[in-house]
Short mmCIF file of all heavy atoms in Angstrom, two decimals:
data_model
loop_
_atom_site.label_atom_id
_atom_site.label_comp_id
_atom_site.label_asym_id
_atom_site.label_seq_id
_atom_site.Cartn_x
_atom_site.Cartn_y
_atom_site.Cartn_z
N ALA A 251 2.16 4.65 1.02
CA ALA A 251 2.12 5.52 2.20
C ALA A 251 1.50 6.84 1.80
O ALA A 251 1.79 7.41 0.75
CB ALA A 251 3.45 5.72 2.81
N VAL A 265 -8.22 5.17 16.41
CA VAL A 265 -9.54 4.95 17.11
C VAL A 265 -9.39 3.78 18.04
O VAL A 265 -9.81 3.85 19.23
CB VAL A 265 -10.66 4.73 16.08
CG1 VAL A 265 -11.93 4.29 16.76
CG2 VAL A 265 -10.91 6.04 15.29
N LEU A 267 -6.76 2.71 19.41
CA LEU A 267 -5.84 3.12 20.45
C LEU A 267 -6.61 3.73 21.61
O LEU A 267 -6.40 3.36 22.79
CB LEU A 267 -4.87 4.16 19.93
CG LEU A 267 -4.06 4.96 20.91
CD1 LEU A 267 -3.20 4.11 21.77
CD2 LEU A 267 -3.24 6.02 20.18
N ILE A 270 -8.24 0.91 23.54
CA ILE A 270 -7.23 0.17 24.22
C ILE A 270 -6.79 0.79 25.54
O ILE A 270 -6.71 0.15 26.57
CB ILE A 270 -6.05 -0.13 23.30
CG1 ILE A 270 -6.39 -1.11 22.18
CG2 ILE A 270 -4.80 -0.61 24.09
CD1 ILE A 270 -6.54 -2.49 22.58
N ASP A 280 -15.09 -6.56 33.51
CA ASP A 280 -16.14 -6.38 32.54
C ASP A 280 -15.93 -5.14 31.68
O ASP A 280 -16.15 -5.14 30.46
CB ASP A 280 -17.51 -6.29 33.26
CG ASP A 280 -18.04 -7.66 33.71
OD1 ASP A 280 -17.55 -8.65 33.16
OD2 ASP A 280 -18.88 -7.67 34.59
N LEU A 283 -13.17 -5.77 29.08
CA LEU A 283 -13.59 -6.57 27.99
C LEU A 283 -14.51 -5.80 27.02
O LEU A 283 -14.43 -5.99 25.82
CB LEU A 283 -14.28 -7.82 28.50
CG LEU A 283 -13.40 -8.75 29.37
CD1 LEU A 283 -14.24 -9.92 29.92
CD2 LEU A 283 -12.22 -9.28 28.60
N TYR A 285 -14.47 -2.53 26.39
CA TYR A 285 -13.60 -1.64 25.60
C TYR A 285 -12.78 -2.44 24.60
O TYR A 285 -12.49 -1.94 23.52
CB TYR A 285 -12.68 -0.83 26.47
CG TYR A 285 -13.40 0.30 27.27
CD1 TYR A 285 -13.15 0.49 28.56
CD2 TYR A 285 -14.31 1.09 26.63
CE1 TYR A 285 -13.76 1.51 29.26
CE2 TYR A 285 -14.97 2.11 27.31
CZ TYR A 285 -14.71 2.30 28.64
OH TYR A 285 -15.36 3.32 29.33
N PHE A 288 -14.84 -2.92 21.42
CA PHE A 288 -14.86 -1.73 20.57
C PHE A 288 -13.51 -1.58 19.83
O PHE A 288 -13.44 -1.21 18.67
CB PHE A 288 -15.16 -0.45 21.35
CG PHE A 288 -16.56 -0.45 21.86
CD1 PHE A 288 -16.79 -0.01 23.19
CD2 PHE A 288 -17.63 -0.75 21.11
CE1 PHE A 288 -18.11 0.02 23.70
CE2 PHE A 288 -18.96 -0.67 21.57
CZ PHE A 288 -19.15 -0.29 22.88
N GLY A 307 -9.43 -10.99 10.37
CA GLY A 307 -10.24 -12.10 10.79
C GLY A 307 -10.05 -12.37 12.26
O GLY A 307 -11.05 -12.67 12.96
N TRP A 317 -17.31 -11.68 23.72
CA TRP A 317 -18.70 -11.82 24.07
C TRP A 317 -19.02 -13.15 24.66
O TRP A 317 -19.69 -13.27 25.69
CB TRP A 317 -19.58 -11.55 22.82
CG TRP A 317 -21.04 -11.67 23.15
CD1 TRP A 317 -21.81 -10.70 23.72
CD2 TRP A 317 -21.89 -12.80 22.91
NE1 TRP A 317 -23.10 -11.12 23.82
CE2 TRP A 317 -23.15 -12.42 23.40
CE3 TRP A 317 -21.68 -14.02 22.40
CZ2 TRP A 317 -24.23 -13.31 23.31
CZ3 TRP A 317 -22.77 -14.92 22.27
CH2 TRP A 317 -24.02 -14.55 22.77
N ARG A 324 -15.52 -19.44 31.54
CA ARG A 324 -14.84 -20.77 31.86
C ARG A 324 -15.48 -21.99 31.21
O ARG A 324 -15.33 -23.08 31.73
CB ARG A 324 -14.76 -20.92 33.40
CG ARG A 324 -14.01 -19.81 34.01
CD ARG A 324 -13.81 -20.07 35.50
NE ARG A 324 -13.26 -18.90 36.19
CZ ARG A 324 -11.96 -18.69 36.32
NH1 ARG A 324 -11.08 -19.52 35.91
NH2 ARG A 324 -11.51 -17.62 36.93
N LEU A 328 -16.67 -24.17 24.64
CA LEU A 328 -16.77 -22.96 23.80
C LEU A 328 -15.39 -22.45 23.45
O LEU A 328 -15.16 -21.98 22.37
CB LEU A 328 -17.55 -21.86 24.48
CG LEU A 328 -19.06 -21.96 24.47
CD1 LEU A 328 -19.72 -20.84 25.24
CD2 LEU A 328 -19.56 -21.92 23.03
N HIS A 345 -1.36 -15.53 4.27
CA HIS A 345 -0.62 -15.09 3.07
C HIS A 345 0.86 -14.73 3.31
O HIS A 345 1.57 -14.56 2.35
CB HIS A 345 -1.29 -13.87 2.37
CG HIS A 345 -1.15 -12.57 3.03
ND1 HIS A 345 -1.81 -12.18 4.13
CD2 HIS A 345 -0.25 -11.62 2.72
CE1 HIS A 345 -1.43 -10.95 4.50
NE2 HIS A 345 -0.51 -10.55 3.68
N ALA A 346 1.27 -14.62 4.52
CA ALA A 346 2.70 -14.34 4.81
C ALA A 346 3.15 -14.93 6.13
O ALA A 346 2.32 -15.18 6.98
CB ALA A 346 2.89 -12.82 4.81
N LEU A 353 -2.23 -14.75 14.71
CA LEU A 353 -2.73 -16.06 15.14
C LEU A 353 -2.37 -16.35 16.60
O LEU A 353 -3.23 -16.75 17.40
CB LEU A 353 -2.18 -17.20 14.24
CG LEU A 353 -2.55 -18.59 14.66
CD1 LEU A 353 -4.05 -18.82 14.70
CD2 LEU A 353 -1.88 -19.59 13.68
N LEU A 354 -1.08 -16.14 16.92
CA LEU A 354 -0.66 -16.36 18.35
C LEU A 354 -1.43 -15.43 19.30
O LEU A 354 -1.83 -15.88 20.41
CB LEU A 354 0.86 -16.17 18.51
CG LEU A 354 1.74 -17.22 17.91
CD1 LEU A 354 3.20 -16.80 18.00
CD2 LEU A 354 1.48 -18.57 18.59
N ALA A 362 -6.63 -16.65 27.73
CA ALA A 362 -6.76 -15.69 28.82
C ALA A 362 -8.25 -15.44 29.15
O ALA A 362 -8.56 -15.38 30.32
CB ALA A 362 -6.10 -14.38 28.41
N PHE A 364 -10.98 -17.22 28.51
CA PHE A 364 -11.82 -18.33 28.99
C PHE A 364 -11.32 -18.96 30.27
O PHE A 364 -12.09 -19.50 31.04
CB PHE A 364 -11.91 -19.40 27.93
CG PHE A 364 -12.97 -19.08 26.89
CD1 PHE A 364 -12.71 -18.53 25.67
CD2 PHE A 364 -14.35 -19.39 27.20
CE1 PHE A 364 -13.72 -18.26 24.73
CE2 PHE A 364 -15.34 -19.14 26.26
CZ PHE A 364 -15.03 -18.58 25.03
N LEU A 365 -9.99 -18.93 30.51
CA LEU A 365 -9.43 -19.66 31.66
C LEU A 365 -9.04 -18.75 32.82
O LEU A 365 -8.87 -19.24 33.96
CB LEU A 365 -8.23 -20.47 31.19
CG LEU A 365 -8.48 -21.51 30.10
CD1 LEU A 365 -7.16 -22.23 29.76
CD2 LEU A 365 -9.52 -22.53 30.57
N GLY A 368 -8.67 -11.46 36.36
CA GLY A 368 -7.84 -10.57 37.18
C GLY A 368 -6.39 -10.52 36.68
O GLY A 368 -6.14 -10.37 35.45
N TRP A 382 0.68 -8.55 18.81
CA TRP A 382 0.13 -7.49 17.96
C TRP A 382 1.17 -6.38 17.70
O TRP A 382 1.15 -5.86 16.59
CB TRP A 382 -1.13 -6.93 18.58
CG TRP A 382 -2.33 -7.83 18.45
CD1 TRP A 382 -3.03 -8.37 19.45
CD2 TRP A 382 -2.98 -8.26 17.20
NE1 TRP A 382 -4.10 -9.11 18.95
CE2 TRP A 382 -4.11 -9.05 17.65
CE3 TRP A 382 -2.74 -7.98 15.88
CZ2 TRP A 382 -4.91 -9.62 16.65
CZ3 TRP A 382 -3.60 -8.57 14.97
CH2 TRP A 382 -4.68 -9.39 15.33
N PHE A 395 0.89 0.20 16.09
CA PHE A 395 2.13 0.17 16.88
C PHE A 395 1.96 0.98 18.15
O PHE A 395 2.25 0.47 19.26
CB PHE A 395 3.34 0.60 16.08
CG PHE A 395 4.59 0.68 16.90
CD1 PHE A 395 5.26 -0.45 17.17
CD2 PHE A 395 5.04 1.94 17.38
CE1 PHE A 395 6.46 -0.39 17.92
CE2 PHE A 395 6.19 2.03 18.14
CZ PHE A 395 6.90 0.84 18.45
N ILE A 396 1.50 2.19 18.01
CA ILE A 396 1.32 3.03 19.18
C ILE A 396 0.25 2.44 20.13
O ILE A 396 0.42 2.38 21.35
CB ILE A 396 0.96 4.47 18.77
CG1 ILE A 396 2.17 5.09 18.06
CG2 ILE A 396 0.57 5.33 20.00
CD1 ILE A 396 1.80 6.44 17.36
N LEU A 402 0.33 -2.24 26.09
CA LEU A 402 1.24 -3.01 26.90
C LEU A 402 1.68 -2.17 28.15
O LEU A 402 1.61 -2.69 29.27
CB LEU A 402 2.49 -3.41 26.09
CG LEU A 402 3.54 -4.20 26.78
CD1 LEU A 402 2.95 -5.53 27.28
CD2 LEU A 402 4.72 -4.46 25.83
N MET A 409 -1.49 -3.71 36.06
CA MET A 409 -1.16 -4.94 36.73
C MET A 409 -0.44 -4.61 38.05
O MET A 409 -0.69 -5.25 39.06
CB MET A 409 -0.29 -5.82 35.87
CG MET A 409 -1.05 -6.47 34.72
SD MET A 409 -0.01 -7.16 33.40
CE MET A 409 1.17 -8.15 34.31
N ARG A 411 -0.70 -1.86 39.76
CA ARG A 411 -1.62 -1.24 40.67
C ARG A 411 -2.54 -2.32 41.31
O ARG A 411 -2.85 -2.24 42.56
CB ARG A 411 -2.53 -0.22 39.93
CG ARG A 411 -1.82 1.02 39.55
CD ARG A 411 -2.59 1.92 38.64
NE ARG A 411 -3.88 2.17 39.06
CZ ARG A 411 -4.90 2.55 38.24
NH1 ARG A 411 -4.70 2.61 36.93
NH2 ARG A 411 -6.08 2.77 38.74
N ILE A 412 -2.94 -3.30 40.58
CA ILE A 412 -3.74 -4.39 41.16
C ILE A 412 -2.96 -5.18 42.17
O ILE A 412 -3.39 -5.47 43.28
CB ILE A 412 -4.29 -5.32 40.04
CG1 ILE A 412 -5.33 -4.59 39.17
CG2 ILE A 412 -4.81 -6.64 40.62
CD1 ILE A 412 -5.67 -5.32 37.95
#
Side-chain angles (χ1 to χ4, degrees):
V265 169
L267 165 63
I270 289 289
D280 285 340
L283 299 176
Y285 287 135
F288 293 134
W317 181 79
R324 302 186 187 269
L328 281 176
H345 78 279
L353 174 60
L354 288 174
F364 277 98
L365 300 179
W382 283 117
F395 175 77
I396 295 169
L402 181 61
M409 288 165 48
R411 289 170 50 206
I412 292 169

